Amino acid sequence: MDEVQQSRSNLTRRRILGASAAAAAVIGGAGGTVVATGPALAGGNGHGHGNGRLRAEPLIPARNRGIILYSVRDRITAAPDDSGVPYGFERVLARLAELGYKEIEFAGYNQHESILGRQITPQEIRKILDDNGLVANGAHTQINAATFTQQMDIAQTLGMKNIGTGSDPTNSSYTKDWDAAADLWNELGRQAARRGLRLYTHNHDAAYGFLLDAGPKDANGNPTRSSGTRRLEYFFGRTDPRYVFFEMDIFWGYVARYKHQKFTDARGREQTDLFDPIITVAERTKRFPLFHAKDGNRNTAVPNGYDMVPLGAGDINFQQFFQTIGEQDFHHANWEQDTAPGGAANPGQSLSFAELSYRNMSELTIYKR
């Protein structure tokens, strides 16, 4: 890492360790946890608190720090080469374990066939996980009635507790389609629960856009305006909390905050409503076992308002996010960066970003009495 990169890394790590006053207020009222605000807290002398020393703990427990393999998909699927960079499941998973990751979220189960002369099996992947002290915490796969039993079989072979998808339950703007999706997901969630699995869906920004559920109808009988209800938040209420769970992609949550601010109400008036990813989770925190800890730099010159960067190199306050939502032992954070692969010019980039992101994730700290 050159001097400029090292300087930027140090600056971003300092920023990521700071939580806002708003977060402090929420947490302070929730049970005696305080925010790291400076070196004095690290000493833990208890001055001004009256009940002893402060102790520092990881905000995200080491056992709950993971990665979705989509971030390093270029090396999982790479053919053997002479770059010196790990390739295939066996080598890449071993490297991720060396970096400190304890959990793996899958984004497919295939590697380059030339490694074994055939495709690897789920049983062989499970052995690689076990050999490296890794745990599978979920997967992005296709969720539908036709293949769900097969996908649950694979999940259980790999030792997962969660099974999910990277796609929204529906891409529709209409409640009728979200109702139909909820009926399916409630049923599949029951099937998953019977096998000790939690069914979850992952969001992109559109999932937190507004429903069209009010006002005049179009030629097809569909509403053309909105009550201000967001699509996935409607789905929260239509699905059974015992059987349907969620994985918030934090980056896409903040993109939704940037992109989906306005709607036209039933009377045709433009309304503004800011989406808050933290509050959305905090109000139902036990429905979010998994997160994509994906960072972004604000850039209003691009449609999403953010550019993806390694965790800790961007503007998203993960300290505030994870500290405010609480339940540290329940939540699992999977680092993701869609843009991590460096291509032929830089085949080691995705694993280098994985190293930096793990280090920054591990440095998130919470102080307790």
Side-chain angles (χ1 to χ4, degrees):
M1 182 179 293
D2 61 31
E3 291 182 0
V4 173
Q5 290 174 309
Q6 183 64 56
S7 176
R8 179 173 178 78
S9 175
N10 290 338
L11 285 171
T12 55
R13 282 202 291 274
R14 284 198 296 273
R15 183 171 68 247
I16 206 171
L17 290 170
S20 72
V26 172
I27 297 160
T33 301
V34 298
V35 180
T37 57
L41 284 180
N45 58 19
H47 292 171
H49 298 287
N51 58 351
R53 297 172 63 85
L54 299 174
R55 67 184 188 278
E57 296 181 359
L59 182 56
I60 301 172
R63 64 185 177 277
N64 292 358
R65 299 176 201 151
I67 178 174
I68 182 169
L69 295 183
Y70 187 72
S71 301
V72 293
R73 60 193 180 279
D74 58 324
R75 301 314 303 171
I76 292 290
T77 59
D81 58 39
D82 58 4
S83 68
V85 182
Y87 58 83
F89 280 108
E90 183 173 11
R91 293 166 178 81
V92 172
L93 292 185
R95 177 58 179 152
L96 294 174
E98 288 176 355
L99 296 179
Y101 289 100
K102 297 298 184 184
E103 297 195 326
I104 301 295
E105 185 179 25
F106 285 84
Y109 307 114
N110 292 336
Q111 63 181 13
H112 203 281
E113 288 193 357
S114 65
I115 296 174
L116 296 176
R118 56 173 173 79
Q119 195 48 257
I120 195 169
T121 67
Q123 291 80 6
E124 290 168 327
I125 297 174
R126 174 62 184 271
K127 184 177 187 304
I128 295 169
L129 290 169
D130 292 345
D131 288 348
N132 288 282
L134 296 168
V135 174
N137 69 12
H140 281 196
T141 188
Q142 295 297 315
I143 300 297
N144 57 65
T147 63
F148 194 53
T149 297
Q150 177 188 17
Q151 293 301 326
M152 288 193 293
D153 290 343
I154 295 172
Q156 291 195 302
T157 296
L158 293 173
M160 293 177 196
K161 297 298 184 184
N162 309 284
I163 182 171
T165 178
S167 302
D168 295 326
T170 174
N171 294 319
S172 173
S173 299
Y174 305 119
T175 56
K176 62 182 181 181
D177 297 314
W178 285 92
D179 287 341
D183 290 342
L184 173 63
W185 278 68
N186 282 332
E187 174 53 33
L188 296 181
R190 290 186 194 94
Q191 294 179 27
R194 287 196 289 268
R195 296 179 61 165
L197 295 166
R198 286 183 296 220
L199 174 63
Y200 69 94
T201 183
H202 165 281
N203 67 275
H204 293 89
D205 69 279
Y208 289 111
F210 297 102
L211 286 170
L212 294 178
D213 60 350
K217 304 292 181 66
D218 64 17
N220 296 317
N222 294 315
T224 58
R225 297 174 185 169
S226 182
S227 67
T229 302
R230 296 179 186 273
R231 299 177 185 184
L232 201 58
E233 292 185 335
Y234 177 78
F235 191 71
F236 293 158
R238 287 284 291 111
T239 49
D240 192 321
R242 297 173 297 176
Y243 304 129
V244 179
F245 297 86
F246 301 90
E247 174 183 66
M248 176 172 276
D249 186 303
I250 299 170
F251 173 89
W252 290 116
Y254 281 95
V255 171
R257 181 176 176 84
Y258 173 76
K259 289 176 61 176
H260 305 297
Q261 298 184 10
K262 297 183 183 297
F263 65 93
T264 302
D265 71 14
R267 295 186 179 183
R269 300 170 301 188
E270 185 177 83
Q271 304 286 353
T272 298
D273 179 73
L274 286 180
F275 175 65
D276 192 320
I278 295 176
I279 291 176
T280 293
V281 174
E283 290 181 343
R284 50 187 70 82
T285 192
K286 282 295 193 81
R287 295 196 77 179
F288 285 85
L290 301 174
F291 295 85
H292 275 185
K294 181 191 299 180
D295 208 347
N297 269 330
R298 282 300 303 270
N299 179 4
T300 56
V302 299
N304 287 329
Y306 289 86
D307 293 316
M308 292 182 194
V309 294
L311 194 152
D315 298 321
I316 296 176
N317 192 333
F318 290 96
Q319 175 77 35
Q320 179 187 16
F321 185 96
F322 283 107
Q323 193 157 324
T324 306
I325 64 173
E327 299 290 349
Q328 282 83 16
D329 290 331
F330 178 74
H331 295 135
H332 300 252
N334 293 322
W335 171 65
E336 184 182 38
Q337 184 181 340
D338 303 13
T339 59
N346 189 0
Q349 178 173 284
S350 61
L351 285 171
S352 176
F353 285 176
E355 180 176 9
L356 174 61
S357 296
Y358 181 82
R359 183 165 66 246
N360 286 340
M361 186 188 296
S362 69
E363 290 180 358
L364 292 169
T365 304
I366 189 169
Y367 289 84
K368 296 182 179 180
R369 294 189 180 93

